[in-house]
Amino acid sequence: MTDKTPAAPIPLTVLGTGAMGTALVRAWLAAGHPVTVWNRTAARAEALAAEGATVAASAAEAV
């Protein structure tokens, strides 16, 4: 028998929102996980805020 119970949401942090980071953030948000993001170029991280991510002001704050 396979357990199909969904896992509890796990808070995640992504440092860097290039192509790979953005794809991971979107997938984790779609799965219901709270995600904090930081990027050296703040505007790239801010774009993910509209999708539900929390944007950190610094890498230290993100983690």
Side-chain angles (χ1 to χ4, degrees), residues 26-38:
R26 287 181 174 147
W28 288 332
L29 287 171
H33 297 284
V35 182
T36 300
V37 297
W38 172 83

Side-chain angles (χ1 to χ4, degrees), residues 2 5 7 9-10 18 20 25 27-28 31 35-37 40 47-48 59 61-62:
T2 303
T5 305
I10 298 170
M20 185 183 303
V25 170
W28 288 332
V35 182
T36 300
V37 297
R40 190 174 44 188
L48 292 167
E61 180 185 307

Side-chain angles (χ1 to χ4, degrees), residues 38-54:
W38 172 83
N39 195 69
R40 190 174 44 188
T41 304
R44 293 187 75 173
E46 292 291 338
L48 292 167
E51 298 181 42
T54 300

